[in-house]
Amino acid sequence: MTLIIDCHGHYTTAPAAHNDWRDAQMAAFAAGDAAPAYPTIGDDEIRDTLEANQLRLLRERGADMTIFSPRASAMAPHLGDEAVATGWARANNDLIARCVDLYPDIFAGVCMLPQSPGADMAGSIAELRRCVELGFVGCNLNPDPGGGRFDSPPLTDRYWYPFYEAMVDLDVPAMIHVSGSCNPAMHATGAYYIAADTIAFMQLIQGDLFADFPTLRFIIPHGGGAVPYHWGRYRGLADMLKKPTLDGHVMNNVFFDTCVYHQPGVDLLADVIDTKNILFGSEMVGAVRGIDPQTGQYFDDTKRYVDALPIDDAQRHAIFEGNARRVFPRLDARLKARGL
Amino acid sequence: MTLIIDCHGHYTTAPAAHNDWRDAQMAAFAAGDAAPAYPTIGDDEIRDTLEANQLRLLRERGADMTIFSPRASAMAPHLGDEAVATGWARANNDLIARCVDLYPDIFAGVCMLPQSPGADMAGSIAELRRCVELGFVGCNLNPDPGGGRFDSPPLTDRYWYPFYEAMVDLDVPAMIHVSGSCNPAMHATGAYYIAADTIAFMQLIQGDLFADFPTLRFIIPHGGGAVPYHWGRYRGLADMLKKPTLDGHVMNNVFFDTCVYHQPGVDLLADVIDTKNILFGSEMVGAVRGIDPQTGQYFDDTKRYVDALPIDDAQRHAIFEGNARRVFPRLDARLKARGL
């Protein structure tokens, strides 16, 4: 038996009161006032937003679990100051914790971080520790918290090291995931996300981060951006830069999800990237919600593409379950505690 | 018979005196002085740099022609002021013109533009017209002349329209190509180039540029960035944005080259993108110069990947020759004048 674990789901359908509070928080910041109290949101309201969306689609598509994080495009840690970013991160993560509590067999939590640009990582470390105590199994780390100018230090810079130390200490991975784009030249889900994924991978090639953190684990979402399509280019650039081959240099620590919305793309991913580095993911409910007229199926029903891969059962088990349990040991422990 | 036309070659091996002049030009600008006179560079010196590199590889690999432009990473139009950018563009384009004059059967010229950030496109239009009079067949248009912050208007913005009017008037296409990266978070050939390609394509989906310019033609290099790998995402995003399907909305006007440095990538490109939109290109001598240990062949010998595609002769002819002649009508006219 294989559990179908979607490693990449966002709570894009949070109750309106949650989003209204964000507006009120920002208005209070602009006015120089304290943020208002967070509203009371009933369990039923949370259930309704999940049942009508993520849970419905998960069941329709035959998946078992989702590793669940706040809406990525709304993280926007550049808005307000660090206190605003912290308040918003806590509100979002607490809401994810409630989703997990309501559906403990279906959701596992991944937290967002209060990465106010220019602040150090201390606030993010504190929020990560708080969330892991709440039962979260990973985090989303934003490599460009400024929101679209790529003006943060590369992921290999020592700026990030205290956070990596906490990740290693807690044994949690990070999905490298930007938020919405403030750059009119860059569409969020069509340009910024994919560009950021690609840029992050190249940073890792250029550096030697995993020599310093051999157990650090990153998931690069959206199928690794452009990386698998240009795998020859990246292998060749590692050679040009006198780096070790990618298998030892980065691919013990970097994983790609299957958020690639057509069969040829997922075929390529599985062809060039080792099975051990691929985690099933759909980004659902996410960037693309329509039906592909070429197939009659939802673009983001990526389980179909994985089901259709010409791989053996052991490989499919790894992509659907085994790799996620290896990359998220705290998820594995939760599943083992359930006898799975 | 099929001519093998490489649509994407750069003069990355220009004589040292040319690069030294750039240093002197920048030093003069810093000192508030006029730029020194451009050095005398002999024909033999130019021949040597080409024979030892581009021409050697072209012959070894069995290609016939290269559409040839200045070194992309050195365009750097953000350095100095508009006069500096203009002087450098003219020097580079004049050097390309000399290469073409020395090897008129092998090279066709594509010019760079003096896109000083913040300036309007008048200087670029003047340089494009000058180069077309010299026999050039196209141009490289930089969508981010600032060099790594993506702070220029999207390609669909009216800022660019006067330039597009000149392109249409002259019937020349543009390759969308950034220069070197000034952003320490973005490696030029491994991150910035691929990100810029991807971002440019999404801008074109979001806009309706080709309704205003139905004959405008863009080549997006490096295999279209991440686009073919994420073709389902882009088809789905067009649907989400209530745009027409990509075939009519952008794919009458946008072309991808084959600068993808492994067989599975070129296979995917040819699988998901119509043959009519693919132009053979190698970016040679370019980003990756080594030999792939998996194949024993140069990573950037992209002709091998096209040769190995499971397509028919008519398709291969289109990718190697026919599409380039259609996209570059001034090249087609030159070839016809040679009886080809």
Short mmCIF file of all heavy atoms in Angstrom, two decimals, chain A residues 261-323:
data_model
loop_
_atom_site.label_atom_id
_atom_site.label_comp_id
_atom_site.label_asym_id
_atom_site.label_seq_id
_atom_site.Cartn_x
_atom_site.Cartn_y
_atom_site.Cartn_z
N TYR A 261 2.39 21.02 -14.97
CA TYR A 261 0.99 20.78 -15.29
C TYR A 261 0.72 20.20 -16.66
O TYR A 261 -0.25 20.58 -17.32
CB TYR A 261 0.20 22.07 -15.07
CG TYR A 261 0.14 22.51 -13.62
CD1 TYR A 261 -0.12 23.82 -13.27
CD2 TYR A 261 0.34 21.61 -12.59
CE1 TYR A 261 -0.17 24.22 -11.94
CE2 TYR A 261 0.29 21.99 -11.26
CZ TYR A 261 0.03 23.29 -10.95
OH TYR A 261 -0.02 23.67 -9.64
N HIS A 262 1.56 19.30 -17.07
CA HIS A 262 1.28 18.51 -18.29
C HIS A 262 2.17 17.28 -18.26
O HIS A 262 3.22 17.26 -17.63
CB HIS A 262 1.47 19.34 -19.57
CG HIS A 262 2.89 19.81 -19.80
ND1 HIS A 262 3.40 20.06 -21.05
CD2 HIS A 262 3.90 20.09 -18.93
CE1 HIS A 262 4.66 20.47 -20.95
NE2 HIS A 262 4.98 20.50 -19.69
N GLN A 263 1.72 16.27 -18.97
CA GLN A 263 2.42 14.98 -18.94
C GLN A 263 3.87 15.07 -19.45
O GLN A 263 4.78 14.51 -18.81
CB GLN A 263 1.63 13.95 -19.75
CG GLN A 263 2.16 12.52 -19.61
CD GLN A 263 1.91 11.97 -18.22
OE1 GLN A 263 0.80 12.03 -17.72
NE2 GLN A 263 2.95 11.44 -17.59
N PRO A 264 4.13 15.77 -20.58
CA PRO A 264 5.53 15.78 -21.06
C PRO A 264 6.50 16.39 -20.05
O PRO A 264 7.65 15.95 -19.96
CB PRO A 264 5.46 16.63 -22.34
CG PRO A 264 4.04 16.50 -22.81
CD PRO A 264 3.22 16.43 -21.55
N GLY A 265 6.04 17.37 -19.29
CA GLY A 265 6.91 17.97 -18.29
C GLY A 265 7.24 17.00 -17.17
O GLY A 265 8.39 16.87 -16.74
N VAL A 266 6.23 16.29 -16.68
CA VAL A 266 6.48 15.32 -15.60
C VAL A 266 7.30 14.14 -16.13
O VAL A 266 8.16 13.61 -15.43
CB VAL A 266 5.14 14.88 -14.97
CG1 VAL A 266 5.36 13.81 -13.91
CG2 VAL A 266 4.43 16.08 -14.34
N ASP A 267 7.07 13.79 -17.38
CA ASP A 267 7.90 12.74 -18.00
C ASP A 267 9.37 13.16 -17.99
O ASP A 267 10.25 12.37 -17.64
CB ASP A 267 7.47 12.49 -19.45
CG ASP A 267 6.14 11.77 -19.56
OD1 ASP A 267 5.65 11.24 -18.54
OD2 ASP A 267 5.59 11.73 -20.68
N LEU A 268 9.64 14.40 -18.39
CA LEU A 268 11.02 14.88 -18.40
C LEU A 268 11.61 14.87 -17.00
O LEU A 268 12.74 14.41 -16.78
CB LEU A 268 11.09 16.30 -18.97
CG LEU A 268 12.50 16.91 -18.88
CD1 LEU A 268 13.27 16.70 -20.17
CD2 LEU A 268 12.47 18.38 -18.53
N LEU A 269 10.84 15.37 -16.04
CA LEU A 269 11.30 15.40 -14.65
C LEU A 269 11.74 14.01 -14.21
O LEU A 269 12.84 13.83 -13.66
CB LEU A 269 10.16 15.92 -13.77
CG LEU A 269 10.35 15.89 -12.26
CD1 LEU A 269 11.43 16.88 -11.84
CD2 LEU A 269 9.05 16.22 -11.53
N ALA A 270 10.89 13.03 -14.45
CA ALA A 270 11.20 11.67 -13.99
C ALA A 270 12.32 11.05 -14.81
O ALA A 270 13.02 10.15 -14.33
CB ALA A 270 9.95 10.81 -14.07
N ASP A 271 12.51 11.55 -16.03
CA ASP A 271 13.56 11.00 -16.88
C ASP A 271 14.94 11.47 -16.43
O ASP A 271 15.88 10.68 -16.36
CB ASP A 271 13.29 11.45 -18.33
CG ASP A 271 14.29 10.87 -19.32
OD1 ASP A 271 14.98 9.89 -18.98
OD2 ASP A 271 14.36 11.40 -20.45
N VAL A 272 15.07 12.76 -16.10
CA VAL A 272 16.41 13.29 -15.85
C VAL A 272 16.77 13.41 -14.37
O VAL A 272 17.95 13.48 -14.04
CB VAL A 272 16.64 14.66 -16.54
CG1 VAL A 272 16.42 14.54 -18.05
CG2 VAL A 272 15.79 15.76 -15.96
N ILE A 273 15.77 13.44 -13.51
CA ILE A 273 16.05 13.60 -12.07
C ILE A 273 15.85 12.25 -11.39
O ILE A 273 14.86 11.55 -11.63
CB ILE A 273 15.11 14.66 -11.47
CG1 ILE A 273 15.26 16.01 -12.21
CG2 ILE A 273 15.36 14.83 -9.97
CD1 ILE A 273 16.64 16.62 -12.16
N ASP A 274 16.78 11.90 -10.52
CA ASP A 274 16.67 10.63 -9.80
C ASP A 274 15.35 10.55 -9.04
O ASP A 274 14.91 11.53 -8.42
CB ASP A 274 17.82 10.49 -8.79
CG ASP A 274 19.12 10.10 -9.44
OD1 ASP A 274 19.12 9.76 -10.65
OD2 ASP A 274 20.15 10.13 -8.73
N THR A 275 14.78 9.37 -9.03
CA THR A 275 13.52 9.16 -8.31
C THR A 275 13.61 9.63 -6.87
O THR A 275 12.66 10.20 -6.32
CB THR A 275 13.16 7.67 -8.34
OG1 THR A 275 13.00 7.27 -9.70
CG2 THR A 275 11.88 7.38 -7.58
N LYS A 276 14.74 9.42 -6.25
CA LYS A 276 14.88 9.77 -4.83
C LYS A 276 14.72 11.27 -4.57
O LYS A 276 14.55 11.69 -3.42
CB LYS A 276 16.22 9.29 -4.29
CG LYS A 276 17.42 10.10 -4.75
CD LYS A 276 18.71 9.62 -4.08
CE LYS A 276 19.94 10.38 -4.60
NZ LYS A 276 19.90 11.83 -4.44
N ASN A 277 14.81 12.09 -5.63
CA ASN A 277 14.73 13.54 -5.48
C ASN A 277 13.38 14.13 -5.88
O ASN A 277 13.24 15.35 -5.99
CB ASN A 277 15.83 14.21 -6.32
CG ASN A 277 17.22 13.86 -5.86
OD1 ASN A 277 17.83 12.91 -6.37
ND2 ASN A 277 17.71 14.57 -4.85
N ILE A 278 12.40 13.29 -6.13
CA ILE A 278 11.10 13.77 -6.62
C ILE A 278 10.02 13.48 -5.59
O ILE A 278 9.86 12.35 -5.14
CB ILE A 278 10.74 13.10 -7.96
CG1 ILE A 278 11.83 13.37 -9.00
CG2 ILE A 278 9.38 13.59 -8.45
CD1 ILE A 278 11.63 12.60 -10.30
N LEU A 279 9.28 14.52 -5.22
CA LEU A 279 8.15 14.38 -4.29
C LEU A 279 6.87 14.76 -5.01
O LEU A 279 6.79 15.82 -5.65
CB LEU A 279 8.32 15.30 -3.08
CG LEU A 279 9.14 14.79 -1.89
CD1 LEU A 279 10.59 14.57 -2.27
CD2 LEU A 279 9.04 15.76 -0.71
N PHE A 280 5.86 13.93 -4.86
CA PHE A 280 4.56 14.28 -5.42
C PHE A 280 4.05 15.58 -4.81
O PHE A 280 4.08 15.78 -3.59
CB PHE A 280 3.55 13.15 -5.15
CG PHE A 280 2.13 13.53 -5.48
CD1 PHE A 280 1.77 13.88 -6.77
CD2 PHE A 280 1.16 13.56 -4.48
CE1 PHE A 280 0.46 14.25 -7.06
CE2 PHE A 280 -0.15 13.92 -4.77
CZ PHE A 280 -0.49 14.26 -6.07
N GLY A 281 3.58 16.48 -5.67
CA GLY A 281 2.99 17.73 -5.22
C GLY A 281 2.07 18.27 -6.30
O GLY A 281 2.22 17.93 -7.48
N SER A 282 1.11 19.07 -5.88
CA SER A 282 0.14 19.60 -6.85
C SER A 282 -0.03 21.11 -6.75
O SER A 282 -0.59 21.72 -7.64
CB SER A 282 -1.22 18.95 -6.64
OG SER A 282 -1.81 19.46 -5.45
N GLU A 283 0.40 21.71 -5.63
CA GLU A 283 0.23 23.15 -5.41
C GLU A 283 -1.26 23.48 -5.35
O GLU A 283 -1.68 24.60 -5.60
CB GLU A 283 0.89 23.90 -6.58
CG GLU A 283 1.21 25.35 -6.34
CD GLU A 283 1.71 26.01 -7.64
OE1 GLU A 283 1.84 25.30 -8.66
OE2 GLU A 283 1.96 27.20 -7.63
N MET A 284 -2.04 22.51 -4.99
CA MET A 284 -3.49 22.60 -5.06
C MET A 284 -4.06 23.12 -3.73
O MET A 284 -3.60 22.68 -2.70
CB MET A 284 -3.99 21.18 -5.36
CG MET A 284 -5.45 21.03 -5.60
SD MET A 284 -6.25 20.40 -4.14
CE MET A 284 -5.72 18.69 -4.14
N VAL A 285 -4.98 24.05 -3.68
CA VAL A 285 -5.62 24.75 -4.80
C VAL A 285 -4.75 25.96 -5.13
O VAL A 285 -4.59 26.83 -4.28
CB VAL A 285 -7.03 25.20 -4.41
CG1 VAL A 285 -7.70 25.93 -5.56
CG2 VAL A 285 -7.89 24.03 -3.94
N GLY A 286 -4.25 26.02 -6.33
CA GLY A 286 -3.18 26.96 -6.55
C GLY A 286 -3.27 27.78 -7.80
O GLY A 286 -4.30 28.40 -8.09
N ALA A 287 -2.17 27.75 -8.55
CA ALA A 287 -1.95 28.72 -9.61
C ALA A 287 -2.88 28.53 -10.79
O ALA A 287 -3.30 29.48 -11.42
CB ALA A 287 -0.50 28.61 -10.08
N VAL A 288 -3.19 27.29 -11.09
CA VAL A 288 -3.96 27.00 -12.30
C VAL A 288 -5.11 26.09 -11.90
O VAL A 288 -4.89 24.98 -11.41
CB VAL A 288 -3.08 26.33 -13.37
CG1 VAL A 288 -3.92 25.92 -14.56
CG2 VAL A 288 -1.95 27.27 -13.80
N ARG A 289 -6.32 26.56 -12.06
CA ARG A 289 -7.47 25.83 -11.53
C ARG A 289 -8.38 25.26 -12.62
O ARG A 289 -9.39 24.66 -12.32
CB ARG A 289 -8.28 26.75 -10.61
CG ARG A 289 -7.40 27.34 -9.51
CD ARG A 289 -8.17 28.13 -8.49
NE ARG A 289 -7.22 28.74 -7.54
CZ ARG A 289 -7.56 29.28 -6.39
NH1 ARG A 289 -8.82 29.32 -6.01
NH2 ARG A 289 -6.64 29.81 -5.60
N GLY A 290 -8.04 25.51 -13.87
CA GLY A 290 -8.93 25.11 -14.96
C GLY A 290 -8.68 23.69 -15.45
O GLY A 290 -7.85 22.94 -14.92
N ILE A 291 -9.44 23.34 -16.47
CA ILE A 291 -9.36 22.01 -17.08
C ILE A 291 -8.62 22.13 -18.40
O ILE A 291 -8.88 23.05 -19.19
CB ILE A 291 -10.77 21.43 -17.27
CG1 ILE A 291 -11.34 21.05 -15.89
CG2 ILE A 291 -10.77 20.24 -18.21
CD1 ILE A 291 -12.77 20.56 -15.90
N ASP A 292 -7.69 21.24 -18.62
CA ASP A 292 -6.91 21.24 -19.85
C ASP A 292 -7.78 20.72 -20.98
O ASP A 292 -8.19 19.55 -20.97
CB ASP A 292 -5.68 20.34 -19.66
CG ASP A 292 -4.74 20.39 -20.86
OD1 ASP A 292 -5.14 20.89 -21.92
OD2 ASP A 292 -3.60 19.92 -20.71
N PRO A 293 -8.06 21.55 -21.98
CA PRO A 293 -8.92 21.06 -23.07
C PRO A 293 -8.28 19.91 -23.85
O PRO A 293 -8.99 19.16 -24.51
CB PRO A 293 -9.10 22.31 -23.95
CG PRO A 293 -7.99 23.23 -23.60
CD PRO A 293 -7.64 22.95 -22.16
N GLN A 294 -6.97 19.77 -23.74
CA GLN A 294 -6.30 18.67 -24.46
C GLN A 294 -6.53 17.33 -23.80
O GLN A 294 -6.39 16.29 -24.43
CB GLN A 294 -4.79 18.94 -24.57
CG GLN A 294 -4.46 20.11 -25.50
CD GLN A 294 -2.96 20.31 -25.66
OE1 GLN A 294 -2.15 19.48 -25.20
NE2 GLN A 294 -2.57 21.40 -26.30
N THR A 295 -6.83 17.34 -22.48
CA THR A 295 -6.98 16.06 -21.77
C THR A 295 -8.36 15.92 -21.13
O THR A 295 -8.75 14.80 -20.77
CB THR A 295 -5.94 15.95 -20.63
OG1 THR A 295 -6.20 16.99 -19.67
CG2 THR A 295 -4.52 16.09 -21.16
N GLY A 296 -9.06 17.02 -20.96
CA GLY A 296 -10.33 16.99 -20.25
C GLY A 296 -10.17 16.86 -18.74
O GLY A 296 -11.15 16.67 -18.02
N GLN A 297 -8.95 16.97 -18.24
CA GLN A 297 -8.68 16.84 -16.81
C GLN A 297 -8.10 18.16 -16.28
O GLN A 297 -7.58 18.96 -17.04
CB GLN A 297 -7.66 15.72 -16.55
CG GLN A 297 -8.04 14.37 -17.16
CD GLN A 297 -9.28 13.75 -16.53
OE1 GLN A 297 -9.68 14.13 -15.44
NE2 GLN A 297 -9.90 12.83 -17.25
N TYR A 298 -8.18 18.33 -14.96
CA TYR A 298 -7.59 19.52 -14.37
C TYR A 298 -6.08 19.57 -14.65
O TYR A 298 -5.38 18.57 -14.49
CB TYR A 298 -7.81 19.54 -12.85
CG TYR A 298 -9.22 19.90 -12.46
CD1 TYR A 298 -10.14 18.92 -12.10
CD2 TYR A 298 -9.63 21.23 -12.46
CE1 TYR A 298 -11.45 19.26 -11.75
CE2 TYR A 298 -10.94 21.57 -12.11
CZ TYR A 298 -11.84 20.59 -11.76
OH TYR A 298 -13.13 20.92 -11.42
N PHE A 299 -5.62 20.77 -15.05
CA PHE A 299 -4.18 20.96 -15.24
C PHE A 299 -3.40 20.51 -14.01
O PHE A 299 -2.35 19.89 -14.12
CB PHE A 299 -3.87 22.45 -15.47
CG PHE A 299 -4.15 22.96 -16.85
CD1 PHE A 299 -5.22 23.81 -17.10
CD2 PHE A 299 -3.32 22.63 -17.91
CE1 PHE A 299 -5.46 24.31 -18.37
CE2 PHE A 299 -3.55 23.12 -19.19
CZ PHE A 299 -4.63 23.97 -19.42
N ASP A 300 -3.91 20.85 -12.80
CA ASP A 300 -3.12 20.64 -11.59
C ASP A 300 -3.39 19.29 -10.93
O ASP A 300 -2.98 19.07 -9.79
CB ASP A 300 -3.28 21.80 -10.60
CG ASP A 300 -4.67 21.90 -10.00
OD1 ASP A 300 -5.57 21.14 -10.41
OD2 ASP A 300 -4.86 22.76 -9.12
N ASP A 301 -4.05 18.40 -11.65
CA ASP A 301 -4.22 17.03 -11.14
C ASP A 301 -2.96 16.25 -11.49
O ASP A 301 -2.94 15.38 -12.36
CB ASP A 301 -5.46 16.39 -11.76
CG ASP A 301 -5.75 15.01 -11.17
OD1 ASP A 301 -4.97 14.55 -10.30
OD2 ASP A 301 -6.74 14.39 -11.59
N THR A 302 -1.88 16.58 -10.76
CA THR A 302 -0.58 16.03 -11.14
C THR A 302 -0.45 14.55 -10.79
O THR A 302 0.46 13.88 -11.27
CB THR A 302 0.56 16.82 -10.47
OG1 THR A 302 0.35 16.81 -9.05
CG2 THR A 302 0.59 18.26 -10.96
N LYS A 303 -1.38 14.04 -9.97
CA LYS A 303 -1.32 12.61 -9.68
C LYS A 303 -1.47 11.78 -10.96
O LYS A 303 -0.82 10.75 -11.13
CB LYS A 303 -2.41 12.23 -8.66
CG LYS A 303 -2.42 10.74 -8.32
CD LYS A 303 -3.31 10.47 -7.11
CE LYS A 303 -3.40 8.96 -6.86
NZ LYS A 303 -4.11 8.25 -7.94
N ARG A 304 -2.33 12.26 -11.87
CA ARG A 304 -2.49 11.55 -13.13
C ARG A 304 -1.18 11.42 -13.91
O ARG A 304 -0.92 10.40 -14.54
CB ARG A 304 -3.49 12.29 -14.04
CG ARG A 304 -4.91 12.17 -13.59
CD ARG A 304 -5.85 12.95 -14.49
NE ARG A 304 -7.21 12.80 -13.99
CZ ARG A 304 -8.01 11.78 -14.32
NH1 ARG A 304 -7.59 10.86 -15.17
NH2 ARG A 304 -9.21 11.70 -13.80
N TYR A 305 -0.39 12.49 -13.88
CA TYR A 305 0.86 12.46 -14.63
C TYR A 305 1.84 11.47 -13.99
O TYR A 305 2.56 10.76 -14.68
CB TYR A 305 1.50 13.85 -14.70
CG TYR A 305 0.56 14.97 -15.13
CD1 TYR A 305 0.55 16.20 -14.47
CD2 TYR A 305 -0.33 14.79 -16.18
CE1 TYR A 305 -0.30 17.23 -14.85
CE2 TYR A 305 -1.20 15.82 -16.58
CZ TYR A 305 -1.18 17.03 -15.89
OH TYR A 305 -2.03 18.05 -16.26
N VAL A 306 1.86 11.45 -12.66
CA VAL A 306 2.75 10.51 -11.98
C VAL A 306 2.26 9.07 -12.20
O VAL A 306 3.06 8.16 -12.45
CB VAL A 306 2.86 10.84 -10.47
CG1 VAL A 306 3.72 9.81 -9.75
CG2 VAL A 306 3.43 12.24 -10.27
N ASP A 307 0.93 8.89 -12.12
CA ASP A 307 0.38 7.55 -12.38
C ASP A 307 0.80 7.04 -13.76
O ASP A 307 1.00 5.83 -13.95
CB ASP A 307 -1.16 7.59 -12.32
CG ASP A 307 -1.69 7.64 -10.89
OD1 ASP A 307 -0.95 7.21 -9.97
OD2 ASP A 307 -2.82 8.10 -10.69
N ALA A 308 0.91 7.95 -14.73
CA ALA A 308 1.19 7.55 -16.11
C ALA A 308 2.68 7.39 -16.41
O ALA A 308 3.04 7.02 -17.53
CB ALA A 308 0.58 8.56 -17.07
N LEU A 309 3.53 7.68 -15.44
CA LEU A 309 4.97 7.58 -15.70
C LEU A 309 5.38 6.13 -15.94
O LEU A 309 4.89 5.22 -15.25
CB LEU A 309 5.77 8.12 -14.50
CG LEU A 309 5.84 9.63 -14.33
CD1 LEU A 309 6.55 9.95 -13.01
CD2 LEU A 309 6.55 10.29 -15.50
N PRO A 310 6.30 5.91 -16.87
CA PRO A 310 6.79 4.55 -17.11
C PRO A 310 7.86 4.16 -16.08
O PRO A 310 9.03 3.99 -16.40
CB PRO A 310 7.38 4.65 -18.52
CG PRO A 310 7.85 6.07 -18.62
CD PRO A 310 6.90 6.89 -17.78
N ILE A 311 7.43 4.03 -14.83
CA ILE A 311 8.35 3.68 -13.75
C ILE A 311 7.78 2.49 -13.00
O ILE A 311 6.60 2.15 -13.16
CB ILE A 311 8.57 4.86 -12.76
CG1 ILE A 311 7.22 5.37 -12.22
CG2 ILE A 311 9.31 6.00 -13.46
CD1 ILE A 311 7.34 6.47 -11.18
N ASP A 312 8.61 1.87 -12.18
CA ASP A 312 8.11 0.68 -11.49
C ASP A 312 7.45 1.05 -10.15
O ASP A 312 7.46 2.21 -9.74
CB ASP A 312 9.24 -0.35 -11.31
CG ASP A 312 10.35 0.13 -10.40
OD1 ASP A 312 10.10 0.95 -9.49
OD2 ASP A 312 11.50 -0.31 -10.60
N ASP A 313 6.88 0.07 -9.50
CA ASP A 313 6.11 0.33 -8.30
C ASP A 313 6.95 0.94 -7.18
O ASP A 313 6.47 1.80 -6.43
CB ASP A 313 5.47 -0.98 -7.79
CG ASP A 313 4.35 -1.45 -8.69
OD1 ASP A 313 3.93 -0.67 -9.58
OD2 ASP A 313 3.89 -2.60 -8.52
N ALA A 314 8.19 0.50 -7.08
CA ALA A 314 9.05 1.03 -6.03
C ALA A 314 9.32 2.52 -6.26
O ALA A 314 9.34 3.31 -5.31
CB ALA A 314 10.37 0.26 -5.98
N GLN A 315 9.50 2.87 -7.53
CA GLN A 315 9.73 4.28 -7.84
C GLN A 315 8.49 5.12 -7.54
O GLN A 315 8.57 6.20 -6.97
CB GLN A 315 10.12 4.44 -9.32
CG GLN A 315 11.52 3.90 -9.64
CD GLN A 315 11.83 4.03 -11.11
OE1 GLN A 315 11.19 3.39 -11.95
NE2 GLN A 315 12.80 4.85 -11.43
N ARG A 316 7.33 4.59 -7.93
CA ARG A 316 6.10 5.34 -7.70
C ARG A 316 5.83 5.48 -6.20
O ARG A 316 5.40 6.53 -5.73
CB ARG A 316 4.92 4.66 -8.42
CG ARG A 316 3.91 5.66 -8.99
CD ARG A 316 2.79 4.99 -9.79
NE ARG A 316 3.27 4.00 -10.71
CZ ARG A 316 3.67 4.26 -11.96
NH1 ARG A 316 3.64 5.50 -12.43
NH2 ARG A 316 4.12 3.29 -12.74
N HIS A 317 6.13 4.43 -5.45
CA HIS A 317 5.98 4.50 -3.99
C HIS A 317 6.89 5.59 -3.42
O HIS A 317 6.50 6.35 -2.52
CB HIS A 317 6.31 3.15 -3.36
CG HIS A 317 6.16 3.13 -1.87
ND1 HIS A 317 4.95 2.95 -1.25
CD2 HIS A 317 7.07 3.30 -0.88
CE1 HIS A 317 5.12 3.00 0.06
NE2 HIS A 317 6.40 3.20 0.32
N ALA A 318 8.10 5.67 -3.94
CA ALA A 318 9.04 6.70 -3.45
C ALA A 318 8.50 8.09 -3.72
O ALA A 318 8.54 8.98 -2.85
CB ALA A 318 10.40 6.51 -4.11
N ILE A 319 7.98 8.31 -4.92
CA ILE A 319 7.50 9.66 -5.29
C ILE A 319 6.26 10.02 -4.50
O ILE A 319 6.10 11.16 -4.05
CB ILE A 319 7.25 9.73 -6.81
CG1 ILE A 319 8.58 9.63 -7.57
CG2 ILE A 319 6.49 11.00 -7.19
CD1 ILE A 319 8.44 9.51 -9.08
N PHE A 320 5.38 9.06 -4.29
CA PHE A 320 4.12 9.36 -3.60
C PHE A 320 4.27 9.38 -2.08
O PHE A 320 3.55 10.12 -1.41
CB PHE A 320 3.04 8.33 -3.98
CG PHE A 320 2.35 8.60 -5.29
CD1 PHE A 320 2.14 7.58 -6.21
CD2 PHE A 320 1.89 9.88 -5.61
CE1 PHE A 320 1.49 7.83 -7.42
CE2 PHE A 320 1.23 10.13 -6.82
CZ PHE A 320 1.03 9.10 -7.72
N GLU A 321 5.15 8.55 -1.54
CA GLU A 321 5.19 8.43 -0.08
C GLU A 321 6.60 8.42 0.50
O GLU A 321 6.92 9.18 1.41
CB GLU A 321 4.47 7.13 0.36
CG GLU A 321 4.60 6.87 1.86
CD GLU A 321 3.92 5.59 2.34
OE1 GLU A 321 3.09 5.03 1.59
OE2 GLU A 321 4.22 5.14 3.46
N GLY A 322 7.42 7.54 -0.01
CA GLY A 322 8.70 7.27 0.65
C GLY A 322 9.59 8.49 0.75
O GLY A 322 10.18 8.76 1.81
N ASN A 323 9.70 9.24 -0.34
CA ASN A 323 10.58 10.40 -0.31
C ASN A 323 10.05 11.46 0.66
O ASN A 323 10.83 12.10 1.37
CB ASN A 323 10.72 10.99 -1.71
CG ASN A 323 11.42 10.04 -2.66
OD1 ASN A 323 12.10 9.10 -2.23
ND2 ASN A 323 11.27 10.27 -3.96
#
